[in-house]
Amino acid sequence: MSQSLYYAPQGGLPSQRAMLSDRAVFTEAYAIIPKGVMRDIVTSRLPFWDDTRVWVLSRPMSGFSETFAQYIMEVSPGGGSEQPEPDAQAQGVLFVVEGEMTLTIEGERHAMPTGGYAYLPAGCRWQVRNEHEAPVRFHWIRKRYEAVEGLDRPEPFVTHDQAVEPTPMPDTDGAWATSRFVDPTDLRHDMHVNIVTFQPGGLIPFDETHVMEHGLYVLQGKAVYHLNQDWVEVEAGDYMWLRAFCPQACYAGGPEPFRYLLYKDVNRHMSLTLR
């Protein structure tokens, strides 16, 4: 898939002549972090990551979304990490939106080009290195794994967006489809990170209201989203962060497909202890 079909932030700062108003909003039910927010001044650095900066899109917050964190990593040529994950209980998904890197899992090297996808189970040994002449930018989604007695932990795997056939949603004639990187019936997994695609004019025809928390990063295209009681416009590079039970629906605009990277927590009982 062409690099142009995945939006990646470039940083920088607006001109001193720029207007202050933007589409960023944080409510009790959802947050919108538009692409214009992802500037140099809001990046962070991480321990044991060389020549790397990160945009933190979401993190567990009491009373909001509590299960996951999502980063956009930017690794300069020669950069990377031999000790990327400090939490032995954390699993992760990596998805490359620009550039190429080498991912090593338990000593086995994998080329990760634009569109590359990797699942990293809790406790596995992995490293990342940018061995190319341009920066690589990728999403890193982290969640503490909820082990279940009697279920094995899932294995790591590496694949690509193009290698996964999108599954059309019922009664949509292909206007709405989901690229599922994990079998939904595999109960070893307690999170899914999929890519959802709407053709121009496609829609979610009802307000989804469910227990799953969401992080939605718009990879391509544009749409109008209904979140809680608000209509908001979103486009490639925007991020939506949704609390459990936040009503959500959308209309996809043209002229190209509307695609987003979607996180949700799945396949576990609801904890009866307040976190």
Side-chain angles (χ1 to χ4, degrees):
M1 180 167 287
S2 168
Q3 289 188 13
S4 65
L5 297 188
Y6 305 114
Y7 186 92
Q10 305 295 312
L13 285 174
S15 163
Q16 290 288 294
R17 298 179 181 273
M19 294 290 291
L20 297 179
S21 59
D22 203 342
R23 296 173 292 115
V25 61
F26 192 97
T27 74
E28 293 184 353
Y30 70 89
I32 302 291
I33 302 177
K35 65 181 182 182
V37 171
M38 297 177 206
R39 303 294 187 169
D40 293 351
I41 199 170
V42 299
T43 58
S44 299
R45 304 284 174 174
L46 297 176
F48 307 114
W49 281 84
D50 304 324
D51 299 316
T52 299
R53 63 179 183 171
V54 52
W55 286 275
V56 178
L57 300 179
S58 58
R59 51 161 288 183
M61 291 179 60
S62 179
F64 197 70
S65 291
E66 300 182 345
T67 61
F68 75 108
Q70 185 161 348
Y71 308 155
I72 299 178
M73 309 290 291
E74 181 185 83
V75 182
S76 296
S81 179
E82 301 300 309
Q83 304 177 61
E85 176 56 75
D87 188 342
Q89 299 181 60
Q91 61 191 318
V93 163
L94 310 181
F95 182 74
V96 182
V97 289
E98 185 174 69
E100 184 174 354
M101 65 187 184
T102 300
L103 171 66
T104 303
I105 305 174
E106 301 291 354
E108 182 177 351
R109 288 166 56 93
H110 302 269
M112 289 279 288
T114 300
Y117 181 109
Y119 172 73
L120 304 164
C124 83
R125 294 182 298 109
W126 60 279
Q127 297 86 35
V128 164
R129 188 63 55 186
N130 181 358
E131 300 174 333
H132 301 272
E133 296 181 356
V136 60
R137 298 177 176 93
F138 61 94
H139 285 256
W140 180 11
I141 298 173
R142 303 169 63 230
K143 179 186 183 296
R144 282 202 170 187
Y145 183 67
E146 296 183 49
V148 175
E149 186 176 356
L151 289 179
D152 294 333
R153 295 197 175 203
E155 300 89 9
F157 66 85
V158 176
T159 184
H160 192 278
D161 181 12
Q162 286 187 330
V164 177
E165 184 71 23
T167 302
M169 299 296 282
D171 303 319
T172 65
D173 294 325
W176 174 11
T178 301
S179 300
R180 295 187 172 94
F181 296 89
V182 169
D183 183 347
T185 66
D186 186 347
L187 297 185
R188 298 176 304 165
H189 287 272
D190 67 351
M191 75 171 183
H192 289 165
V193 179
N194 300 324
I195 293 178
V196 179
T197 301
F198 289 91
Q199 299 304 318
L203 72 156
I204 299 176
F206 69 105
D207 271 327
E208 295 185 30
T209 307
H210 51 59
V211 71
M212 287 84 79
E213 299 176 346
H214 277 342
L216 298 90
Y217 178 83
V218 183
L219 297 167
Q220 179 188 5
K222 61 182 180 179
V224 180
Y225 246 89
H226 191 232
L227 298 175
N228 207 11
Q229 297 302 309
D230 304 322
W231 286 99
V232 296
E233 291 184 282
V234 294
E235 63 178 346
D238 292 347
Y239 182 71
M240 289 171 276
W241 183 16
L242 310 186
R243 187 177 183 177
F245 299 107
C246 175
Q248 57 196 271
C250 76
Y251 289 92
E256 59 185 335
F258 174 60
R259 307 189 79 213
Y260 55 81
L261 187 71
L262 173 68
Y263 161 87
K264 60 182 177 180
D265 49 314
V266 296
N267 297 340
R268 293 296 183 266
H269 280 291
M270 302 302 101
S271 174
L272 303 182
T273 302
L274 293 177
R275 302 186 185 196

